[in-house]
PDB file of all heavy atoms in Angstrom:
ATOM      1  N   LYS A1059      -6.446  -8.884   4.510  1.00 96.00           N
ATOM      2  CA  LYS A1059      -7.276  -9.741   3.696  1.00 96.00           C
ATOM      3  C   LYS A1059      -8.736  -9.266   3.692  1.00 96.00           C
ATOM      4  O   LYS A1059      -9.303  -8.968   4.709  1.00 96.00           O
ATOM      5  CB  LYS A1059      -7.233 -11.190   4.231  1.00 96.00           C
ATOM      6  CG  LYS A1059      -5.924 -11.923   4.050  1.00 96.00           C
ATOM      7  CD  LYS A1059      -5.620 -12.165   2.575  1.00 96.00           C
ATOM      8  CE  LYS A1059      -6.490 -13.227   1.938  1.00 96.00           C
ATOM      9  NZ  LYS A1059      -6.128 -13.498   0.572  1.00 96.00           N
ATOM     10  N   ALA A1060      -9.257  -9.125   2.465  1.00 95.00           N
ATOM     11  CA  ALA A1060     -10.592  -8.508   2.327  1.00 95.00           C
ATOM     12  C   ALA A1060     -11.700  -9.271   3.030  1.00 95.00           C
ATOM     13  O   ALA A1060     -12.544  -8.671   3.672  1.00 95.00           O
ATOM     14  CB  ALA A1060     -10.887  -8.366   0.813  1.00 95.00           C
ATOM     15  N   ARG A1061     -11.715 -10.592   2.908  1.00 95.00           N
ATOM     16  CA  ARG A1061     -12.891 -11.347   3.419  1.00 95.00           C
ATOM     17  C   ARG A1061     -12.799 -11.608   4.922  1.00 95.00           C
ATOM     18  O   ARG A1061     -13.806 -11.863   5.577  1.00 95.00           O
ATOM     19  CB  ARG A1061     -13.012 -12.668   2.703  1.00 95.00           C
ATOM     20  CG  ARG A1061     -13.097 -12.562   1.203  1.00 95.00           C
ATOM     21  CD  ARG A1061     -14.358 -11.927   0.722  1.00 95.00           C
ATOM     22  NE  ARG A1061     -15.586 -12.665   1.098  1.00 95.00           N
ATOM     23  CZ  ARG A1061     -16.803 -12.346   0.701  1.00 95.00           C
ATOM     24  NH1 ARG A1061     -16.971 -11.283  -0.094  1.00 95.00           N
ATOM     25  NH2 ARG A1061     -17.875 -13.014   1.105  1.00 95.00           N
ATOM     26  N   THR A1062     -11.553 -11.580   5.478  1.00 96.00           N
ATOM     27  CA  THR A1062     -11.396 -12.042   6.861  1.00 96.00           C
ATOM     28  C   THR A1062     -10.930 -10.918   7.873  1.00 96.00           C
ATOM     29  O   THR A1062     -11.108 -11.028   9.005  1.00 96.00           O
ATOM     30  CB  THR A1062     -10.390 -13.181   6.975  1.00 96.00           C
ATOM     31  OG1 THR A1062      -9.088 -12.735   6.581  1.00 96.00           O
ATOM     32  CG2 THR A1062     -10.818 -14.371   6.075  1.00 96.00           C
ATOM     33  N   GLY A1063     -10.280  -9.873   7.282  1.00 95.00           N
ATOM     34  CA  GLY A1063      -9.709  -8.863   8.133  1.00 95.00           C
ATOM     35  C   GLY A1063      -8.357  -9.215   8.680  1.00 95.00           C
ATOM     36  O   GLY A1063      -7.746  -8.446   9.451  1.00 95.00           O
ATOM     37  N   GLU A1064      -7.832 -10.386   8.293  1.00 96.00           N
ATOM     38  CA  GLU A1064      -6.512 -10.828   8.774  1.00 96.00           C
ATOM     39  C   GLU A1064      -5.417  -9.943   8.196  1.00 96.00           C
ATOM     40  O   GLU A1064      -5.384  -9.587   7.017  1.00 96.00           O
ATOM     41  CB  GLU A1064      -6.277 -12.263   8.286  1.00 96.00           C
ATOM     42  CG  GLU A1064      -4.836 -12.792   8.566  1.00 96.00           C
ATOM     43  CD  GLU A1064      -4.530 -14.041   7.813  1.00 96.00           C
ATOM     44  OE1 GLU A1064      -5.398 -14.552   7.051  1.00 96.00           O
ATOM     45  OE2 GLU A1064      -3.377 -14.530   7.934  1.00 96.00           O
ATOM     46  N   GLU A1065      -4.503  -9.512   9.078  1.00 95.00           N
ATOM     47  CA  GLU A1065      -3.356  -8.729   8.641  1.00 95.00           C
ATOM     48  C   GLU A1065      -2.295  -9.659   8.025  1.00 95.00           C
ATOM     49  O   GLU A1065      -1.817 -10.565   8.677  1.00 95.00           O
ATOM     50  CB  GLU A1065      -2.756  -7.958   9.801  1.00 95.00           C
ATOM     51  CG  GLU A1065      -3.557  -6.725  10.203  1.00 95.00           C
ATOM     52  CD  GLU A1065      -2.797  -5.822  11.172  1.00 95.00           C
ATOM     53  OE1 GLU A1065      -1.581  -6.043  11.336  1.00 95.00           O
ATOM     54  OE2 GLU A1065      -3.422  -4.925  11.704  1.00 95.00           O
ATOM     55  N   LEU A1066      -1.936  -9.339   6.792  1.00 96.00           N
ATOM     56  CA  LEU A1066      -0.880 -10.113   6.154  1.00 96.00           C
ATOM     57  C   LEU A1066       0.498  -9.621   6.580  1.00 96.00           C
ATOM     58  O   LEU A1066       1.365 -10.406   6.898  1.00 96.00           O
ATOM     59  CB  LEU A1066      -1.002 -10.023   4.632  1.00 96.00           C
ATOM     60  CG  LEU A1066      -2.275 -10.637   4.030  1.00 96.00           C
ATOM     61  CD1 LEU A1066      -2.323 -10.413   2.513  1.00 96.00           C
ATOM     62  CD2 LEU A1066      -2.325 -12.129   4.305  1.00 96.00           C
ATOM     63  N   TRP A1067       0.632  -8.266   6.622  1.00 96.00           N
ATOM     64  CA  TRP A1067       1.883  -7.632   7.052  1.00 96.00           C
ATOM     65  C   TRP A1067       1.666  -6.149   7.078  1.00 96.00           C
ATOM     66  O   TRP A1067       0.665  -5.606   6.614  1.00 96.00           O
ATOM     67  CB  TRP A1067       3.056  -8.003   6.128  1.00 96.00           C
ATOM     68  CG  TRP A1067       2.815  -7.875   4.653  1.00 96.00           C
ATOM     69  CD1 TRP A1067       2.493  -8.898   3.798  1.00 96.00           C
ATOM     70  CD2 TRP A1067       2.799  -6.685   3.839  1.00 96.00           C
ATOM     71  NE1 TRP A1067       2.324  -8.445   2.507  1.00 96.00           N
ATOM     72  CE2 TRP A1067       2.524  -7.074   2.513  1.00 96.00           C
ATOM     73  CE3 TRP A1067       3.035  -5.339   4.086  1.00 96.00           C
ATOM     74  CZ2 TRP A1067       2.420  -6.170   1.448  1.00 96.00           C
ATOM     75  CZ3 TRP A1067       2.974  -4.432   3.067  1.00 96.00           C
ATOM     76  CH2 TRP A1067       2.655  -4.838   1.778  1.00 96.00           C
ATOM     77  N   ALA A1068       2.638  -5.463   7.683  1.00 95.00           N
ATOM     78  CA  ALA A1068       2.620  -4.026   7.766  1.00 95.00           C
ATOM     79  C   ALA A1068       4.044  -3.526   7.590  1.00 95.00           C
ATOM     80  O   ALA A1068       5.020  -4.176   7.982  1.00 95.00           O
ATOM     81  CB  ALA A1068       2.093  -3.550   9.116  1.00 95.00           C
ATOM     82  N   THR A1069       4.201  -2.331   6.964  1.00 95.00           N
ATOM     83  CA  THR A1069       5.500  -1.773   6.795  1.00 95.00           C
ATOM     84  C   THR A1069       5.482  -0.270   7.122  1.00 95.00           C
ATOM     85  O   THR A1069       4.503   0.418   6.829  1.00 95.00           O
ATOM     86  CB  THR A1069       6.036  -1.954   5.340  1.00 95.00           C
ATOM     87  OG1 THR A1069       7.323  -1.353   5.249  1.00 95.00           O
ATOM     88  CG2 THR A1069       5.101  -1.338   4.332  1.00 95.00           C
ATOM     89  N   THR A1070       6.556   0.194   7.753  1.00 92.00           N
ATOM     90  CA  THR A1070       6.667   1.607   8.066  1.00 92.00           C
ATOM     91  C   THR A1070       7.540   2.329   7.034  1.00 92.00           C
ATOM     92  O   THR A1070       7.736   3.561   7.108  1.00 92.00           O
ATOM     93  CB  THR A1070       7.357   1.802   9.457  1.00 92.00           C
ATOM     94  OG1 THR A1070       8.666   1.159   9.421  1.00 92.00           O
ATOM     95  CG2 THR A1070       6.522   1.184  10.553  1.00 92.00           C
ATOM     96  N   LYS A1071       8.019   1.560   6.010  1.00 93.00           N
ATOM     97  CA  LYS A1071       8.947   2.150   5.053  1.00 93.00           C
ATOM     98  C   LYS A1071       8.252   2.744   3.826  1.00 93.00           C
ATOM     99  O   LYS A1071       8.883   3.338   2.970  1.00 93.00           O
ATOM    100  CB  LYS A1071       9.927   1.084   4.619  1.00 93.00           C
ATOM    101  CG  LYS A1071      10.884   0.615   5.766  1.00 93.00           C
ATOM    102  CD  LYS A1071      11.883  -0.409   5.309  1.00 93.00           C
ATOM    103  CE  LYS A1071      12.787  -0.800   6.432  1.00 93.00           C
ATOM    104  NZ  LYS A1071      13.786  -1.809   6.024  1.00 93.00           N
ATOM    105  N   PHE A1072       6.916   2.586   3.760  1.00 93.00           N
ATOM    106  CA  PHE A1072       6.146   3.177   2.660  1.00 93.00           C
ATOM    107  C   PHE A1072       5.233   4.224   3.232  1.00 93.00           C
ATOM    108  O   PHE A1072       4.382   3.932   4.086  1.00 93.00           O
ATOM    109  CB  PHE A1072       5.342   2.090   1.939  1.00 93.00           C
ATOM    110  CG  PHE A1072       4.569   2.598   0.763  1.00 93.00           C
ATOM    111  CD1 PHE A1072       5.115   2.682  -0.499  1.00 93.00           C
ATOM    112  CD2 PHE A1072       3.234   3.020   0.892  1.00 93.00           C
ATOM    113  CE1 PHE A1072       4.391   3.150  -1.587  1.00 93.00           C
ATOM    114  CE2 PHE A1072       2.503   3.481  -0.170  1.00 93.00           C
ATOM    115  CZ  PHE A1072       3.106   3.533  -1.428  1.00 93.00           C
ATOM    116  N   LYS A1073       5.408   5.486   2.853  1.00 89.00           N
ATOM    117  CA  LYS A1073       4.624   6.606   3.405  1.00 89.00           C
ATOM    118  C   LYS A1073       3.646   7.146   2.365  1.00 89.00           C
ATOM    119  O   LYS A1073       3.982   7.228   1.206  1.00 89.00           O
ATOM    120  CB  LYS A1073       5.559   7.735   3.817  1.00 89.00           C
ATOM    121  CG  LYS A1073       6.575   7.296   4.931  1.00 89.00           C
ATOM    122  CD  LYS A1073       5.862   6.953   6.225  1.00 89.00           C
ATOM    123  CE  LYS A1073       6.851   6.641   7.347  1.00 89.00           C
ATOM    124  NZ  LYS A1073       6.210   6.239   8.608  1.00 89.00           N
ATOM    125  N   GLY A1074       2.494   7.517   2.838  1.00 87.00           N
ATOM    126  CA  GLY A1074       1.471   8.037   1.925  1.00 87.00           C
ATOM    127  C   GLY A1074       0.483   6.955   1.514  1.00 87.00           C
ATOM    128  O   GLY A1074       0.489   5.847   2.114  1.00 87.00           O
ATOM    129  N   VAL A1075      -0.405   7.218   0.611  1.00 89.00           N
ATOM    130  CA  VAL A1075      -1.371   6.243   0.156  1.00 89.00           C
ATOM    131  C   VAL A1075      -0.904   5.675  -1.176  1.00 89.00           C
ATOM    132  O   VAL A1075      -0.040   6.224  -1.860  1.00 89.00           O
ATOM    133  CB  VAL A1075      -2.796   6.879   0.017  1.00 89.00           C
ATOM    134  CG1 VAL A1075      -3.192   7.468   1.365  1.00 89.00           C
ATOM    135  CG2 VAL A1075      -2.820   7.919  -1.123  1.00 89.00           C
ATOM    136  N   VAL A1076      -1.485   4.540  -1.542  1.00 93.00           N
ATOM    137  CA  VAL A1076      -1.109   3.856  -2.774  1.00 93.00           C
ATOM    138  C   VAL A1076      -1.728   4.576  -3.988  1.00 93.00           C
ATOM    139  O   VAL A1076      -2.950   4.723  -4.059  1.00 93.00           O
ATOM    140  CB  VAL A1076      -1.535   2.372  -2.762  1.00 93.00           C
ATOM    141  CG1 VAL A1076      -1.172   1.698  -4.106  1.00 93.00           C
ATOM    142  CG2 VAL A1076      -0.913   1.643  -1.599  1.00 93.00           C
ATOM    143  N   GLY A1077      -0.875   4.986  -4.913  1.00 93.00           N
ATOM    144  CA  GLY A1077      -1.327   5.679  -6.129  1.00 93.00           C
ATOM    145  C   GLY A1077      -1.691   4.664  -7.222  1.00 93.00           C
ATOM    146  O   GLY A1077      -2.685   4.747  -7.899  1.00 93.00           O
ATOM    147  N   ASP A1078      -0.842   3.640  -7.369  1.00 95.00           N
ATOM    148  CA  ASP A1078      -1.059   2.545  -8.315  1.00 95.00           C
ATOM    149  C   ASP A1078      -0.108   1.426  -7.984  1.00 95.00           C
ATOM    150  O   ASP A1078       0.825   1.612  -7.134  1.00 95.00           O
ATOM    151  CB  ASP A1078      -0.813   3.026  -9.756  1.00 95.00           C
ATOM    152  CG  ASP A1078      -1.354   2.068 -10.779  1.00 95.00           C
ATOM    153  OD1 ASP A1078      -2.346   1.347 -10.495  1.00 95.00           O
ATOM    154  OD2 ASP A1078      -0.802   1.957 -11.895  1.00 95.00           O
ATOM    155  N   TYR A1079      -0.282   0.264  -8.640  1.00 96.00           N
ATOM    156  CA  TYR A1079       0.592  -0.855  -8.332  1.00 96.00           C
ATOM    157  C   TYR A1079       0.688  -1.718  -9.574  1.00 96.00           C
ATOM    158  O   TYR A1079      -0.101  -1.650 -10.513  1.00 96.00           O
ATOM    159  CB  TYR A1079       0.062  -1.689  -7.169  1.00 96.00           C
ATOM    160  CG  TYR A1079      -1.125  -2.635  -7.564  1.00 96.00           C
ATOM    161  CD1 TYR A1079      -0.835  -3.928  -7.852  1.00 96.00           C
ATOM    162  CD2 TYR A1079      -2.405  -2.155  -7.603  1.00 96.00           C
ATOM    163  CE1 TYR A1079      -1.906  -4.786  -8.241  1.00 96.00           C
ATOM    164  CE2 TYR A1079      -3.445  -2.985  -7.957  1.00 96.00           C
ATOM    165  CZ  TYR A1079      -3.197  -4.307  -8.257  1.00 96.00           C
ATOM    166  OH  TYR A1079      -4.237  -5.143  -8.626  1.00 96.00           O
ATOM    167  N   ALA A1080       1.724  -2.552  -9.550  1.00 96.00           N
ATOM    168  CA  ALA A1080       1.874  -3.604 -10.580  1.00 96.00           C
ATOM    169  C   ALA A1080       2.301  -4.885  -9.863  1.00 96.00           C
ATOM    170  O   ALA A1080       3.034  -4.814  -8.886  1.00 96.00           O
ATOM    171  CB  ALA A1080       2.849  -3.183 -11.674  1.00 96.00           C
ATOM    172  N   TYR A1081       1.880  -6.009 -10.367  1.00 94.00           N
ATOM    173  CA  TYR A1081       2.212  -7.308  -9.800  1.00 94.00           C
ATOM    174  C   TYR A1081       3.210  -7.969 -10.712  1.00 94.00           C
ATOM    175  O   TYR A1081       2.905  -8.269 -11.846  1.00 94.00           O
ATOM    176  CB  TYR A1081       0.923  -8.129  -9.650  1.00 94.00           C
ATOM    177  CG  TYR A1081       0.990  -9.227  -8.616  1.00 94.00           C
ATOM    178  CD1 TYR A1081       0.990  -8.942  -7.236  1.00 94.00           C
ATOM    179  CD2 TYR A1081       1.104 -10.533  -9.021  1.00 94.00           C
ATOM    180  CE1 TYR A1081       1.009  -9.934  -6.325  1.00 94.00           C
ATOM    181  CE2 TYR A1081       1.126 -11.573  -8.043  1.00 94.00           C
ATOM    182  CZ  TYR A1081       1.104 -11.250  -6.713  1.00 94.00           C
ATOM    183  OH  TYR A1081       1.142 -12.259  -5.759  1.00 94.00           O
ATOM    184  N   ALA A1082       4.425  -8.202 -10.219  1.00 93.00           N
ATOM    185  CA  ALA A1082       5.484  -8.777 -11.023  1.00 93.00           C
ATOM    186  C   ALA A1082       5.315 -10.302 -11.103  1.00 93.00           C
ATOM    187  O   ALA A1082       4.608 -10.920 -10.274  1.00 93.00           O
ATOM    188  CB  ALA A1082       6.851  -8.451 -10.426  1.00 93.00           C
ATOM    189  N   ASP A1083       5.978 -10.933 -12.037  1.00 89.00           N
ATOM    190  CA  ASP A1083       5.845 -12.400 -12.288  1.00 89.00           C
ATOM    191  C   ASP A1083       6.309 -13.168 -11.051  1.00 89.00           C
ATOM    192  O   ASP A1083       5.775 -14.321 -10.832  1.00 89.00           O
ATOM    193  CB  ASP A1083       6.611 -12.799 -13.512  1.00 89.00           C
ATOM    194  CG  ASP A1083       5.967 -12.348 -14.810  1.00 89.00           C
ATOM    195  OD1 ASP A1083       4.795 -12.000 -14.791  1.00 89.00           O
ATOM    196  OD2 ASP A1083       6.702 -12.260 -15.829  1.00 89.00           O
ATOM    197  N   ASP A1084       7.253 -12.678 -10.309  1.00 90.00           N
ATOM    198  CA  ASP A1084       7.753 -13.395  -9.181  1.00 90.00           C
ATOM    199  C   ASP A1084       6.874 -13.210  -7.927  1.00 90.00           C
ATOM    200  O   ASP A1084       7.188 -13.728  -6.840  1.00 90.00           O
ATOM    201  CB  ASP A1084       9.195 -12.957  -8.832  1.00 90.00           C
ATOM    202  CG  ASP A1084       9.265 -11.535  -8.337  1.00 90.00           C
ATOM    203  OD1 ASP A1084       8.300 -10.789  -8.480  1.00 90.00           O
ATOM    204  OD2 ASP A1084      10.318 -11.154  -7.769  1.00 90.00           O
ATOM    205  N   GLY A1085       5.763 -12.460  -8.079  1.00 89.00           N
ATOM    206  CA  GLY A1085       4.893 -12.274  -6.945  1.00 89.00           C
ATOM    207  C   GLY A1085       5.153 -11.054  -6.126  1.00 89.00           C
ATOM    208  O   GLY A1085       4.409 -10.753  -5.207  1.00 89.00           O
ATOM    209  N   SER A1086       6.194 -10.310  -6.461  1.00 95.00           N
ATOM    210  CA  SER A1086       6.466  -9.067  -5.739  1.00 95.00           C
ATOM    211  C   SER A1086       5.534  -7.949  -6.215  1.00 95.00           C
ATOM    212  O   SER A1086       4.927  -8.080  -7.317  1.00 95.00           O
ATOM    213  CB  SER A1086       7.947  -8.629  -5.907  1.00 95.00           C
ATOM    214  OG  SER A1086       8.224  -8.425  -7.271  1.00 95.00           O
ATOM    215  N   LEU A1087       5.412  -6.889  -5.415  1.00 96.00           N
ATOM    216  CA  LEU A1087       4.466  -5.837  -5.717  1.00 96.00           C
ATOM    217  C   LEU A1087       5.255  -4.564  -5.863  1.00 96.00           C
ATOM    218  O   LEU A1087       6.076  -4.190  -5.084  1.00 96.00           O
ATOM    219  CB  LEU A1087       3.521  -5.728  -4.487  1.00 96.00           C
ATOM    220  CG  LEU A1087       2.129  -5.118  -4.678  1.00 96.00           C
ATOM    221  CD1 LEU A1087       1.354  -5.915  -5.698  1.00 96.00           C
ATOM    222  CD2 LEU A1087       1.431  -5.073  -3.358  1.00 96.00           C
ATOM    223  N   ILE A1088       4.942  -3.834  -6.966  1.00 97.00           N
ATOM    224  CA  ILE A1088       5.523  -2.515  -7.161  1.00 97.00           C
ATOM    225  C   ILE A1088       4.450  -1.471  -6.790  1.00 97.00           C
ATOM    226  O   ILE A1088       3.369  -1.485  -7.371  1.00 97.00           O
ATOM    227  CB  ILE A1088       5.919  -2.275  -8.626  1.00 97.00           C
ATOM    228  CG1 ILE A1088       6.713  -3.478  -9.182  1.00 97.00           C
ATOM    229  CG2 ILE A1088       6.726  -0.966  -8.763  1.00 97.00           C
ATOM    230  CD1 ILE A1088       8.013  -3.734  -8.475  1.00 97.00           C
ATOM    231  N   LEU A1089       4.763  -0.578  -5.875  1.00 96.00           N
ATOM    232  CA  LEU A1089       3.796   0.402  -5.367  1.00 96.00           C
ATOM    233  C   LEU A1089       4.346   1.801  -5.574  1.00 96.00           C
ATOM    234  O   LEU A1089       5.533   2.052  -5.353  1.00 96.00           O
ATOM    235  CB  LEU A1089       3.489   0.234  -3.873  1.00 96.00           C
ATOM    236  CG  LEU A1089       2.849  -1.086  -3.388  1.00 96.00           C
ATOM    237  CD1 LEU A1089       2.758  -1.063  -1.863  1.00 96.00           C
ATOM    238  CD2 LEU A1089       1.535  -1.303  -4.036  1.00 96.00           C
ATOM    239  N   ILE A1090       3.467   2.755  -5.979  1.00 96.00           N
ATOM    240  CA  ILE A1090       3.842   4.138  -6.013  1.00 96.00           C
ATOM    241  C   ILE A1090       2.959   4.902  -5.018  1.00 96.00           C
ATOM    242  O   ILE A1090       1.794   4.556  -4.870  1.00 96.00           O
ATOM    243  CB  ILE A1090       3.695   4.728  -7.465  1.00 96.00           C
ATOM    244  CG1 ILE A1090       4.143   6.182  -7.474  1.00 96.00           C
ATOM    245  CG2 ILE A1090       2.273   4.591  -7.952  1.00 96.00           C
ATOM    246  CD1 ILE A1090       4.095   6.814  -8.863  1.00 96.00           C
ATOM    247  N   ASN A1091       3.550   5.833  -4.308  1.00 93.00           N
ATOM    248  CA  ASN A1091       2.761   6.560  -3.273  1.00 93.00           C
ATOM    249  C   ASN A1091       2.229   7.869  -3.851  1.00 93.00           C
ATOM    250  O   ASN A1091       2.634   8.341  -4.875  1.00 93.00           O
ATOM    251  CB  ASN A1091       3.601   6.785  -2.047  1.00 93.00           C
ATOM    252  CG  ASN A1091       4.614   7.881  -2.199  1.00 93.00           C
ATOM    253  OD1 ASN A1091       5.019   8.264  -3.299  1.00 93.00           O
ATOM    254  ND2 ASN A1091       5.104   8.427  -1.087  1.00 93.00           N
ATOM    255  N   MET A1092       1.286   8.449  -3.117  1.00 89.00           N
ATOM    256  CA  MET A1092       0.725   9.763  -3.489  1.00 89.00           C
ATOM    257  C   MET A1092       0.108  10.335  -2.208  1.00 89.00           C
ATOM    258  O   MET A1092      -0.104   9.648  -1.209  1.00 89.00           O
ATOM    259  CB  MET A1092      -0.345   9.620  -4.574  1.00 89.00           C
ATOM    260  CG  MET A1092      -1.572   8.855  -4.175  1.00 89.00           C
ATOM    261  SD  MET A1092      -2.846   8.775  -5.432  1.00 89.00           S
ATOM    262  CE  MET A1092      -3.524  10.446  -5.296  1.00 89.00           C
ATOM    263  N   LYS A1093      -0.154  11.658  -2.253  1.00 81.00           N
ATOM    264  CA  LYS A1093      -0.810  12.292  -1.148  1.00 81.00           C
ATOM    265  C   LYS A1093      -2.331  12.073  -1.249  1.00 81.00           C
ATOM    266  O   LYS A1093      -2.884  12.125  -2.346  1.00 81.00           O
ATOM    267  CB  LYS A1093      -0.537  13.789  -1.141  1.00 81.00           C
ATOM    268  CG  LYS A1093       0.894  14.181  -0.881  1.00 81.00           C
ATOM    269  CD  LYS A1093       1.084  15.680  -0.917  1.00 81.00           C
ATOM    270  CE  LYS A1093       2.532  16.081  -0.649  1.00 81.00           C
ATOM    271  NZ  LYS A1093       2.710  17.559  -0.688  1.00 81.00           N
ATOM    272  N   PRO A1094      -3.015  11.822  -0.082  1.00 74.00           N
ATOM    273  CA  PRO A1094      -4.437  11.734  -0.154  1.00 74.00           C
ATOM    274  C   PRO A1094      -5.105  13.103  -0.394  1.00 74.00           C
ATOM    275  O   PRO A1094      -4.425  14.135  -0.232  1.00 74.00           O
ATOM    276  CB  PRO A1094      -4.830  11.204   1.245  1.00 74.00           C
ATOM    277  CG  PRO A1094      -3.718  11.665   2.120  1.00 74.00           C
ATOM    278  CD  PRO A1094      -2.486  11.648   1.263  1.00 74.00           C
ATOM    279  N   SER A1095      -6.348  13.115  -0.755  1.00 66.00           N
ATOM    280  CA  SER A1095      -7.027  14.421  -1.022  1.00 66.00           C
ATOM    281  C   SER A1095      -7.109  15.234   0.265  1.00 66.00           C
ATOM    282  O   SER A1095      -6.900  16.435   0.237  1.00 66.00           O
ATOM    283  CB  SER A1095      -8.444  14.162  -1.552  1.00 66.00           C
ATOM    284  OG  SER A1095      -8.402  13.452  -2.790  1.00 66.00           O
ATOM    285  N   LEU A1096      -7.427  14.593   1.377  1.00 58.00           N
ATOM    286  CA  LEU A1096      -7.508  15.270   2.661  1.00 58.00           C
ATOM    287  C   LEU A1096      -6.263  14.928   3.429  1.00 58.00           C
ATOM    288  O   LEU A1096      -6.206  13.998   4.193  1.00 58.00           O
ATOM    289  CB  LEU A1096      -8.769  14.787   3.431  1.00 58.00           C
ATOM    290  CG  LEU A1096     -10.118  15.041   2.713  1.00 58.00           C
ATOM    291  CD1 LEU A1096     -11.218  14.392   3.550  1.00 58.00           C
ATOM    292  CD2 LEU A1096     -10.383  16.493   2.538  1.00 58.00           C
ATOM    293  N   ILE A1097      -5.230  15.747   3.226  1.00 53.00           N
ATOM    294  CA  ILE A1097      -3.945  15.388   3.800  1.00 53.00           C
ATOM    295  C   ILE A1097      -3.914  15.605   5.306  1.00 53.00           C
ATOM    296  O   ILE A1097      -3.233  14.902   6.067  1.00 53.00           O
ATOM    297  CB  ILE A1097      -2.744  16.079   3.091  1.00 53.00           C
ATOM    298  CG1 ILE A1097      -1.444  15.421   3.475  1.00 53.00           C
ATOM    299  CG2 ILE A1097      -2.793  17.607   3.366  1.00 53.00           C
ATOM    300  CD1 ILE A1097      -0.312  15.844   2.564  1.00 53.00           C
ATOM    301  N   GLY A1098      -4.637  16.611   5.825  1.00 52.00           N
ATOM    302  CA  GLY A1098      -4.689  16.844   7.268  1.00 52.00           C
ATOM    303  C   GLY A1098      -3.359  16.903   7.871  1.00 52.00           C
ATOM    304  O   GLY A1098      -2.420  17.496   7.391  1.00 52.00           O
ATOM    305  N   SER A1099      -3.241  16.243   9.054  1.00 47.00           N
ATOM    306  CA  SER A1099      -1.954  16.219   9.747  1.00 47.00           C
ATOM    307  C   SER A1099      -1.119  15.026   9.345  1.00 47.00           C
ATOM    308  O   SER A1099      -0.021  14.838   9.822  1.00 47.00           O
ATOM    309  CB  SER A1099      -2.236  16.216  11.254  1.00 47.00           C
ATOM    310  OG  SER A1099      -2.945  15.044  11.622  1.00 47.00           O
ATOM    311  N   LEU A1100      -1.673  14.158   8.509  1.00 53.00           N
ATOM    312  CA  LEU A1100      -0.957  12.918   8.152  1.00 53.00           C
ATOM    313  C   LEU A1100       0.107  13.209   7.063  1.00 53.00           C
ATOM    314  O   LEU A1100      -0.030  14.124   6.269  1.00 53.00           O
ATOM    315  CB  LEU A1100      -1.907  11.859   7.627  1.00 53.00           C
ATOM    316  CG  LEU A1100      -2.969  11.356   8.587  1.00 53.00           C
ATOM    317  CD1 LEU A1100      -3.793  10.285   7.940  1.00 53.00           C
ATOM    318  CD2 LEU A1100      -2.290  10.798   9.852  1.00 53.00           C
ATOM    319  N   PHE A1101       1.096  12.367   7.017  1.00 56.00           N
ATOM    320  CA  PHE A1101       2.045  12.317   5.909  1.00 56.00           C
ATOM    321  C   PHE A1101       2.772  13.659   5.671  1.00 56.00           C
ATOM    322  O   PHE A1101       2.992  14.035   4.548  1.00 56.00           O
ATOM    323  CB  PHE A1101       1.355  11.863   4.638  1.00 56.00           C
ATOM    324  CG  PHE A1101       0.506  10.665   4.801  1.00 56.00           C
ATOM    325  CD1 PHE A1101      -0.847  10.685   4.486  1.00 56.00           C
ATOM    326  CD2 PHE A1101       1.016   9.482   5.344  1.00 56.00           C
ATOM    327  CE1 PHE A1101      -1.666   9.584   4.637  1.00 56.00           C
ATOM    328  CE2 PHE A1101       0.219   8.347   5.525  1.00 56.00           C
ATOM    329  CZ  PHE A1101      -1.108   8.398   5.157  1.00 56.00           C
TER     330      PHE A1101
END
């Protein structure tokens, strides 16, 4: 949460950074992943 820092949830099943998203009518979230510019040792 942006204003409080509260964690809503975490998932290990999505790897990489968020490239874009869409919010469906039922409240679910569609996310696409991408590599960050500085990939380093991550991902």
Side-chain angles (χ1 to χ4, degrees):
K1059 290 293 287 183
R1061 305 292 299 184
T1062 65
E1064 173 196 358
E1065 285 193 9
L1066 295 176
W1067 46 262
T1069 179
T1070 59
K1071 295 182 179 180
F1072 182 88
K1073 299 294 184 181
V1075 304
V1076 178
D1078 194 30
Y1079 79 96
Y1081 202 74
D1083 289 340
D1084 67 347
S1086 60
L1087 204 61
I1088 313 299
L1089 298 177
I1090 183 176
N1091 74 341
M1092 63 177 285
K1093 293 180 180 179
S1095 299
L1096 302 174
I1097 194 165
S1099 60
L1100 297 182
F1101 312 124

